[in-house]
Amino acid sequence: VPSRPRSRCRMEREGGGGSLFFRGLQNRSHEKMKLRTRKSTLYLSQQKSTGRGGDLLGENIYLVLFTIALRICNCFLVQTSFVPDEYWQSLEVAHHMVFNNYGYLTWEWRERLRGYTYPLIFASIYKILHLLGKDSVQLLIWIPRLAQALLSAIADLRLYSLMKQLENQQVARWVFFCQLCSWFTWYCCTRTLTNTMETVLTIIALFYYPLEGSKFMNSVKYSSLVALAFIIRPTAVILWIPLLFRHFWQEQRKLDLILHQFLPVGFVTLSFSLIIDRIFFGQWTLVQYNFLKFNVLQNVGSFYGSHPWHWYFSQGFPAVLGTHLPFFIHGCLLAPKRYRIFLVTVLWTLLVYSMLSHKEFRFIYPVLPFCMVFCGYSLNNLKLWKKPALSFLFLSNMFFALYTGLVHQRGTLDVMTNIQELCYNNTNISSASVLMMMPCHSTPYYSHVHHPLPMRFLQCPPDLTGKSDYLVEADIFYLNPLKWLYREFQNDSTLPTHLIIFSILEEEINPFLISNKYERTAVFFHTHFPERRTGSHIYVYERKLKGKLNMNMKF
């Protein structure tokens, strides 16, 4: 037995090269076996992950379902009004398209400044509900908003997928977190605003935009989405000018990009818009040109208010970013050079919009996703203060989101429930009529009533003739409300059965209310921050007379 080791030692001494070769073969075989084991393990783990739920929209199905569920909750937790356009440029138009025996179109549609492409989405929903016999007022209110919430969820997931490609899953998670907890995104992303759809299309287009490290770059797809955003809201092109210029500058085959991608996409999209508007306007109309001419070249938007040039930098942008602002600044200092184009896009958009006198928070909503990239970078690089920063960011944004979504400016929607009850629970509905003595377009209209109830509100179309002393009906009313009422309703038979006013107006028109036997029947909270014409509460007054009234309200 002991001789075998000695002979082996002798073999090693006499033929050391052969034994080393033998051991090398053994080691190699073991490495191959290990490698095959790793491959099979990876394959099995992929199978397990697929069996665990699979992918949807390129992401784990549980992440997709979580995002959709969150945006649905977001939808139901936003019960306040923001701006009139979320109703008057979408739902009211859609309601008029489907139920054209009653409804109302604002002056923009008479002047053909708006296109029917975006309202057509909601008109299609209304038409389907109508054909199914399910066109109840609650479904007409909530289904369009749920559809917008679903589109916003898809955009959120696309932003996450993009950052996972460009960086890694950890950075993508922080960007995703910043996107989901942004108070202004929460406030806007389920509203039926053209700005919301513009933001959704911008994020999805960015997913296909040719960025360094992106695996899904596709010029036709991203340019199609940009063109669609332009069709829906022509000013969407402002944000994309730096990005389009960068793509053109870096493209080797510039002529091919223009002739075989940009021009065909633009032609098809514009033709689609022209055909839709031809059907509903009854004549060929290039609404994008009309929109830019009125709002940019002629600056008609200033009729609805103007702000100093620095407003976006001093108030608008900081307010929209909220408590994300310090993280955005920190992220701008840390982010790699390839993200400079995002920062340039944000600054460019703010500068261009600053040149227009009429400014609103929602106009710069589409730059928020770009800002979230820098905020996510900031969080990813925080070490010592990460947990306090996350808690601060989440809690502060939750407060603003819930307050603006559930409390601030909710009265103008709550009062519509009172009108709905008037329509569906009143035996004398045939004689009922409503006058809204509030700043024009304060409330939704027939899309939130869905009944041919005679209603009237104070008009405020801008002057398109150049008169220096031009005053809209709403301004004339607020100069002397009591005088306006007595002049407008000289005959009792023309008096409306119901008046809706802000609380600040009650004392001024009280003689008219008493003399015509109006009694307050409902009170709705509206805001903690009343303004010049907007009160803290909304009052509903009903005219109390014995016997049946024969009302013939003036329009």
Side-chain angles (χ1 to χ4, degrees):
V1 174
S3 64
R4 292 179 66 183
R6 283 198 298 270
S7 62
R8 183 173 177 179
C9 291
R10 194 181 301 116
M11 285 174 62
E12 290 177 359
R13 285 194 303 269
E14 294 175 357
S19 65
L20 289 172
F21 176 74
F22 176 75
R23 281 185 294 178
L25 285 175
Q26 281 186 323
N27 291 338
R28 275 166 142 193
S29 66
H30 283 303
E31 286 178 5
K32 286 182 180 178
M33 288 177 65
K34 288 179 181 178
L35 186 60
R36 283 195 298 271
T37 303
R38 290 192 193 105
K39 285 182 179 177
S40 60
T41 303
L42 179 62
Y43 177 72
L44 287 172
S45 66
Q46 288 176 347
Q47 280 188 322
K48 287 178 182 178
S49 65
T50 305
R52 192 167 56 243
D55 289 347
L56 186 64
L57 297 173
E59 295 298 336
N60 182 277
I61 191 169
Y62 297 116
L63 178 66
V64 175
L65 294 177
F66 165 77
T67 309
I68 293 174
L70 180 69
R71 288 307 180 203
I72 290 174
C73 292
N74 186 168
C75 180
F76 288 114
L77 289 175
V78 174
Q79 301 173 16
T80 56
S81 62
F82 180 23
V83 290
D85 280 9
E86 63 183 300
Y87 315 111
W88 292 89
Q89 305 301 342
S90 55
L91 299 185
E92 295 302 330
V93 182
H95 193 276
H96 186 270
M97 291 165 71
V98 178
F99 310 100
N100 56 9
N101 58 327
Y102 62 100
Y104 189 90
L105 295 179
T106 58
W107 68 273
E108 292 101 324
W109 299 91
R110 294 193 294 271
E111 297 294 331
R112 301 192 296 278
L113 301 185
R114 306 279 184 172
Y116 280 94
T117 304
Y118 184 56
L120 185 61
I121 299 172
F122 306 119
S124 302
I125 295 173
Y126 285 177
K127 190 65 177 179
I128 292 171
L129 291 173
H130 178 62
L131 292 175
L132 295 175
K134 300 295 183 181
D135 55 325
S136 66
V137 65
Q138 292 303 320
L139 289 180
L140 294 183
I141 292 171
W142 288 104
I143 295 297
R145 290 198 55 204
L146 287 170
Q148 190 66 67
L150 178 61
L151 292 172
S152 295
I154 294 172
D156 294 334
L157 290 163
R158 282 290 179 246
L159 181 62
Y160 173 77
S161 300
L162 175 66
M163 293 311 300
K164 196 165 65 171
Q165 293 173 48
L166 299 180
E167 295 296 329
N168 52 58
Q169 193 170 27
Q170 186 175 348
V171 174
R173 284 173 177 171
W174 294 126
V175 173
F176 191 60
F177 170 79
C178 291
Q179 172 74 1
L180 293 186
C181 79
S182 166
W183 81 269
F184 196 74
T185 299
W186 178 278
Y187 187 56
C188 293
C189 73
T190 64
R191 297 184 185 274
T192 51
L193 280 165
T194 53
N195 310 90
T196 302
M197 184 57 79
E198 177 191 352
T199 305
V200 166
L201 293 173
T202 295
I203 296 174
I204 301 175
L206 201 62
F207 178 78
Y208 296 108
Y209 180 79
L211 290 165
E212 182 185 347
S214 176
K215 300 175 184 177
F216 291 94
M217 57 182 69
N218 187 310
S219 298
V220 173
K221 287 184 179 180
Y222 102 78
S223 58
S224 299
L225 291 163
V226 172
L228 183 57
F230 171 75
I231 293 302
I232 290 174
R233 189 168 182 83
T235 50
V237 74
I238 294 173
L239 179 146
W240 278 96
I241 287 176
L243 293 161
L244 291 170
F245 181 77
R246 174 188 177 275
H247 183 195
F248 177 78
W249 183 261
Q250 294 184 344
E251 180 62 42
Q252 298 295 324
R253 297 178 297 176
K254 293 179 172 57
L255 191 62
D256 182 67
L257 177 68
I258 294 174
L259 294 179
H260 296 98
Q261 296 183 38
F262 285 173
L263 285 181
V265 165
F267 175 78
V268 171
T269 311
L270 194 60
S271 300
F272 177 71
S273 172
L274 283 169
I275 292 170
I276 290 176
D277 292 330
R278 172 68 177 82
I279 293 171
F280 292 101
F281 280 124
Q283 55 182 298
W284 293 107
T285 305
L286 188 60
V287 295
Q288 291 75 28
Y289 169 74
N290 293 341
F291 182 90
L292 291 172
K293 183 182 75 172
F294 273 76
N295 289 285
V296 179
L297 301 179
Q298 298 180 358
N299 201 23
V300 176
S302 61
F303 178 81
Y304 294 104
S306 59
H307 298 81
W309 68 269
H310 57 78
W311 185 82
Y312 280 122
F313 291 97
S314 60
Q315 298 179 52
F317 187 63
V320 165
L321 265 182
T323 52
H324 282 76
L325 182 60
F327 301 97
F328 169 73
I329 296 172
H330 182 230
C332 289
L333 301 175
L334 296 175
K337 290 183 179 179
R338 66 174 176 270
Y339 294 115
R340 283 181 181 174
I341 185 60
F342 286 1
L343 184 58
V344 168
T345 300
V346 172
L347 294 175
W348 162 264
T349 305
L350 294 177
L351 283 170
V352 173
Y353 276 119
S354 294
M355 297 177 188
L356 304 176
S357 58
H358 181 60
K359 300 175 177 63
E360 294 186 36
F361 294 108
R362 63 189 174 103
F363 292 169
I364 58 172
Y365 174 35
V367 306
L368 265 188
F370 296 87
C371 300
M372 295 303 111
V373 173
F374 297 102
C375 295
Y377 246 99
S378 173
L379 290 177
N380 186 62
N381 284 273
L382 288 179
K383 303 300 180 185
L384 183 63
W385 297 96
K386 180 170 286 188
K387 287 185 178 179
L390 291 175
S391 300
F392 166 72
L393 204 57
F394 176 75
L395 293 174
S396 59
N397 278 275
M398 178 183 288
F399 170 77
F400 287 119
L402 293 179
Y403 179 78
T404 56
L406 295 173
V407 181
H408 182 59
Q409 295 185 172
R410 68 169 298 133
T412 50
L413 288 181
D414 290 342
V415 75
M416 299 308 291
T417 60
N418 185 269
I419 299 178
Q420 293 166 18
E421 293 171 2
L422 172 66
C423 294
Y424 297 100
N425 300 329
N426 193 341
T427 55
N428 295 324
I429 183 59
S430 59
S431 62
S433 56
V434 177
L435 172 61
M436 301 175 182
M437 293 186 291
M438 313 163 81
C440 66
H441 306 129
S442 291
T443 67
Y445 217 45
Y446 284 108
S447 66
H448 283 56
V449 177
H450 195 47
H451 193 282
L453 173 72
M455 294 194 296
R456 179 183 174 183
F457 64 94
L458 301 175
Q459 302 283 331
C460 58
D463 175 38
L464 304 178
T465 61
K467 294 180 181 178
S468 58
D469 57 345
Y470 177 78
L471 286 176
V472 298
E473 183 182 38
D475 289 337
I476 296 171
F477 170 80
Y478 280 105
L479 286 175
N480 194 327
L482 196 60
K483 180 180 178 182
W484 185 92
L485 284 168
Y486 281 123
R487 185 181 68 246
E488 194 73 13
F489 301 106
Q490 298 178 10
N491 190 338
D492 285 356
S493 64
T494 61
L495 285 167
T497 59
H498 293 75
L499 301 176
I500 300 177
I501 63 172
F502 276 116
S503 52
I504 58 170
L505 193 63
E506 182 183 44
E507 185 177 352
E508 192 168 357
I509 66 169
N510 197 49
F512 177 85
L513 299 174
I514 295 173
S515 63
N516 289 284
K517 298 180 174 58
Y518 281 101
E519 295 180 10
R520 189 198 300 173
T521 56
V523 177
F524 298 96
F525 170 80
H526 183 62
T527 180
H528 290 113
F529 306 98
E531 296 176 346
R532 189 165 55 94
R533 295 180 178 179
T534 304
S536 60
H537 292 75
I538 293 176
Y539 297 157
V540 178
Y541 276 86
E542 182 178 355
R543 196 172 185 219
K544 301 291 185 178
L545 290 176
K546 294 181 179 180
K548 188 176 180 179
L549 293 171
N550 181 19
M551 299 301 173
N552 184 22
M553 187 178 175
K554 291 172 63 178
F555 280 85

